[in-house]
Amino acid sequence: MRRHLLAAAALAAIATPPAARDNSAYFGLEVGGLFVDETDIEDDDGDELVSIDHKTGVDGDMILGYDFGMFRAEAELGYKRSEHDEYTDDDGDSFDGDGRSSVYSGMINGMIDVGQDVSFYAGGGVGLAQITHVLDEGGPEPNGFRIRDRGAAWQLIAGVRAEVWQYFDVG
């Protein structure tokens, strides 16, 4: 369960550093669409209980970093959220989803950055993440049935960015 949502969230969360310039610090706010792969919920024995199909969600991050020249290092705090579209039980029966999945994450990223006004970057990051699935928001527990998991997280990062203004980049 954790690997599916973390992998989808990591792929959707491509960092874009605003105004990263050689030998300087930078701060950024990012927002974008989140496309989550199907998430399988399993019991302790590994048997699939339900599969969650997600709607398009939102991904937002705050980053603080330093550009050393060709190498950049940054800290990232992220939040991702996606509503549930449909559930499929272990018998293959589908029904409308009434819930949401959310991820809070803290990552440390390192990237190689090539170029000035238009730049290409690639790298990765490691950190911690907490995933919460809320199924059937009108259910028996307050605000529905919750499944929560936390642990180590990783991400791959790649992108292109262009300077729009002296203090603002778009990527």
Side-chain angles (χ1 to χ4, degrees), residues 136-150:
D136 189 19
E137 287 190 294
E141 293 185 28
N143 300 321
F145 179 70
R146 292 179 185 272
I147 301 169
R148 183 172 289 149
D149 195 7
R150 65 183 74 159

Side-chain angles (χ1 to χ4, degrees), residues 125-141:
V126 295
L128 298 172
Q130 176 176 290
I131 301 167
T132 303
H133 300 288
V134 178
L135 300 141
D136 189 19
E137 287 190 294
E141 293 185 28

Side-chain angles (χ1 to χ4, degrees), residues 147-163:
I147 301 169
R148 183 172 289 149
D149 195 7
R150 65 183 74 159
W154 61 272
Q155 64 184 354
L156 297 176
I157 301 167
V160 62
R161 65 182 173 90
E163 182 179 331

Side-chain angles (χ1 to χ4, degrees), residues 15-73:
T16 308
R21 304 290 177 258
D22 289 351
N23 301 310
S24 66
Y26 61 90
F27 173 76
L29 296 174
E30 307 168 333
V31 66
L34 177 65
F35 306 97
V36 183
D37 194 13
E38 185 177 273
T39 303
D40 297 326
I41 306 294
E42 301 171 348
D43 64 15
D44 292 336
D45 297 327
D47 297 325
E48 185 177 318
L49 300 174
V50 67
S51 182
I52 303 170
D53 185 27
H54 299 267
K55 297 178 182 177
T56 301
V58 65
D59 174 5
D61 301 296
M62 288 189 324
I63 56 175
L64 177 63
Y66 192 85
D67 189 334
F68 294 94
M70 193 172 180
F71 178 77
R72 287 189 287 120

